[in-house]
């Protein structure tokens, strides 16, 4: 059985031959013979074969917005004809230069072709560059071959974290004269002497100051121990709201992506200062949320970036109060300074709605403040409101969302929170944080 493309040429050739014989027309006979012989020769020509495609990337981890160059080397050993090479791309990928679909013409002999194109991923996440495909055809398209073009590659696009080192230059009056307000109660100790204090259960025996204990006079004769400076200065905990209502706006700039960027900036700032950092993302695509156990150092920053890269939004089934309860063991142990990054306007009790959302948010802030109060430190619970993009028709008038945000902010301030209202469309997070630190310390 002849293929369809071949029958479209053989059928007219045979018809011309039969008409030429029946009519005794020599031009028809010659034309039919020419078409038939040409078709048989074209059918005998094989398509390009012995094709190997190597696909290379400079690295597999990129910042959002970076340009990714995909290099492809195409080696063809035999055949003649066109070759088509195609790389299927994720929907989030943007081709900035070149093309992921290329057509080449293969002449006789072994040939090598270098073809490349450039991609950009404006959104964070993990993406798969699936196996490419190639297809070759004989010169007249009667025969073809196909195959894969390189193995699948996993690419991680991590959020670009803006440096907030300029905050180190900000000098603000201390809110408390007690140094321990900025010192974590947990963590390894240094060799720097801090003070002598009475022995407490759990203190190592080697820290007992026997000379000072012998000279001291007390009713209970409790020995004295040397208190050393802890290795870390402060503990910080970040709650990230990843609910679906955080995704309003454009795919490249919305409260969800801005929350991720702000969290990375906070993590960099505090970890670079030697603090202990922990985080919990709630309302994620996984019902249990994502927990980052508290640690310090640059490895913790890499873990934070890894967490932020994989986060996806989910249904708002978990509120802040439930998130606090899930993390209370860490919070009671560390007594950290807490940042909550969310949208406040979504908690406003609109007409006909029960105020349960705002009540539970207020209860969560009160719970966090009480945990800090039990540690003998000021109750610093910082709420970062990530404002959504302002609708174009409301640019010249006060937005209803802003009014709702102010109402919720007032309720949370009375509950013990420090509210930072951030509008990403008009102000960089570094500047907003500098202004906030300068005001509140």
């Amino acid at each position: 059985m002849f293929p369809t493309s071949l029958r479209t040429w053989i059928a007219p050739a045979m018809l011309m031959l039969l008409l030429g014989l029946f009519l005794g027309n020599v031009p028809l006979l010659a034309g039919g013979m020419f078409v038939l012989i040409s078709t048989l020769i074209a059918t005998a020509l094989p398509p390009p074969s012995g094709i190997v495609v190597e696909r290379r990337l400079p690295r597999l981890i990129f910042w959002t917005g970076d340009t990714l160059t995909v290099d492809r080397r195409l080696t063809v050993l035999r055949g003649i004809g066109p070759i088509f090479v195609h790389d299927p791309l994720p929907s989030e990928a943007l081709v900035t230069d070149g093309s992921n679909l290329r057509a080449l013409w293969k002449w006789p002999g072994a040939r090598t072709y270098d073809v490349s194109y450039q991609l950009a991923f404006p959104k964070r996440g993990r993406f798969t560059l699936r196996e490419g495909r190639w297809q070759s055809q004989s010169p007249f398209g009667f025969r073809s071959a196909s195959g894969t073009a390189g193995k699948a590659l996993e690419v991680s696009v991590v959020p670009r974290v803006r440096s907030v080192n300029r905050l180190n230059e900000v000098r603000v009056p201390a809110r408390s004269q007690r140094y321990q307000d900025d010192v974590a109660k947990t963590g390894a100790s240094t060799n720097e002497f801090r003070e002598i204090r009475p022995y407490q259960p759990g203190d190592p025996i080697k820290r007992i100051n026997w000379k000072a204990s012998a000279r001291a006079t007390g009713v209970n004769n409790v020995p004295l121990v040397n208190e050393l400076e802890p290795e870390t200065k402060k503990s910080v905990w970040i709650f990230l709201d990843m609910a679906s209502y955080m995704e309003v706006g454009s795919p490249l700039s919305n409260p969800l992506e801005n929350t991720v960027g702000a969290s990375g900036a906070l993590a960099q700032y505090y970890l670079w200062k030697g603090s202990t950092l922990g985080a919990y993302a709630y309302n994620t695509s996984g019902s249990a949320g994502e927990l980052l156990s508290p640690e310090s150092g640059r490895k913790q920053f890499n873990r934070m970036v890894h967490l932020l890269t994989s986060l996806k939004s989910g249904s708002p089934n978990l509120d802040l109060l439930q998130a606090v309860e899930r993390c209370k063991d860490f919070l009671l142990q560390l007594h950290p300074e807490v940042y909550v990054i969310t949208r406040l306007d979504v908690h406003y009790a609109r007409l006909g709605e029960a105020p349960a959302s705002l009540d539970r948010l207020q209860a969560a802030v009160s719970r966090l403040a009480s945990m800090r109060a039990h540690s003998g430190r000021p109750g610093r619970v910082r709420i970062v409101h990530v404002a959504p993009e302002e609708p174009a028709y409301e640019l010249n008038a006060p937005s209803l969302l802003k009014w709702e945000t102010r109402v919720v902010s007032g309720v949370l301030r009375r509950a013990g929170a420090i509210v930072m209202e951030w509008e990403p469309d008009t102000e960089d997070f570094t500047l907003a944080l500098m202004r906030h630190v300068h005001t509140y310390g």
Side-chain angles (χ1 to χ4, degrees), residues 219-230:
V219 178
N220 299 323
N221 293 323
V222 177
L224 302 177
V225 297
N226 294 327
E227 176 73 11
L228 304 179
E229 294 287 1

Side-chain angles (χ1 to χ4, degrees), residues 123-361:
K123 295 186 65 176
R124 61 182 172 78
R126 293 185 179 88
F127 306 98
T128 301
L129 299 181
R130 293 181 296 166
E131 286 184 335
R133 301 289 301 179
W134 62 263
Q135 183 178 7
S136 63
Q137 294 181 354
S138 58
F140 292 92
F142 294 135
R143 299 173 62 182
S144 63
S146 62
T148 59
K151 62 181 181 180
L153 300 174
E154 295 288 338
V155 177
S156 295
V157 182
V158 300
R160 186 180 297 276
V161 178
R162 296 184 180 273
S163 176
V164 291
N165 290 332
R166 293 171 60 186
L167 286 173
N168 294 326
E169 303 173 1
V170 178
R171 298 292 183 265
V172 297
R175 296 288 173 177
S176 173
Q177 300 300 323
R178 296 179 298 171
Y179 176 71
Q180 61 266 27
D181 288 346
D182 286 334
V183 178
K185 288 188 175 182
T186 61
S189 299
T190 65
N191 293 324
E192 298 181 7
F193 176 79
R194 178 179 176 183
E195 63 180 355
I196 295 178
R197 60 170 175 80
Y199 176 85
Q200 296 178 357
D203 288 335
I205 300 299
K206 64 180 181 179
R207 288 191 184 178
I208 296 178
N209 191 325
W210 297 107
K211 293 182 179 180
S213 299
R215 292 193 301 265
T217 58
V219 178
N220 299 323
N221 293 323
V222 177
L224 302 177
V225 297
N226 294 327
E227 176 73 11
L228 304 179
E229 294 287 1
E231 187 176 277
T232 55
K233 290 186 177 182
K234 180 182 291 187
S235 295
V236 179
W237 193 274
I238 303 176
F239 285 101
L240 297 82
D241 188 354
M242 305 299 294
S244 54
Y245 52 70
M246 301 291 287
E247 278 195 297
V248 298
S250 66
L252 304 183
S253 178
N254 55 60
L256 183 72
E257 298 301 321
N258 292 325
T259 295
V260 170
S263 302
L266 287 172
Q268 182 199 56
Y269 171 63
Y270 284 106
L271 289 173
W272 261 231
K273 294 179 65 176
S275 301
T276 297
L277 178 87
Y280 183 76
Y282 59 102
N283 290 330
T284 61
S285 55
S287 58
E290 299 290 341
L291 173 68
L292 179 69
S293 299
E295 293 287 346
S296 60
R298 292 181 179 268
K299 288 186 178 180
Q300 181 71 346
F301 178 72
N302 294 335
R303 298 187 192 100
M304 183 67 172
V305 172
H306 185 270
L307 172 67
L308 295 177
T309 301
S310 59
L311 287 178
K312 296 185 181 297
S313 65
S315 301
N317 298 324
L318 191 69
D319 56 29
L320 180 61
L321 185 58
Q322 294 170 298
V324 170
E325 290 302 316
R326 292 190 178 187
C327 303
K328 66 178 180 180
D329 291 340
F330 291 112
L331 298 175
L332 290 173
Q333 180 185 11
L334 298 173
H335 301 295
E337 185 166 331
V338 177
Y339 282 87
V340 180
I341 308 179
T342 182
R343 278 182 61 190
L344 295 183
D345 57 278
V346 297
H347 300 284
Y348 177 78
R350 295 175 176 84
L351 185 63
E353 297 180 0
S357 177
L358 180 55
D359 290 345
R360 291 185 63 83
L361 180 62

Side-chain angles (χ1 to χ4, degrees), residues 67-68 70 87-101 116-122:
T67 300
L68 164 63
V70 182
D87 284 352
L89 299 178
S91 59
E92 296 84 357
L94 301 176
V95 179
T96 59
D97 188 31
S99 175
N100 59 318
L101 173 62
S116 63
Y117 60 95
Q118 292 183 343
L119 296 177
F121 288 91

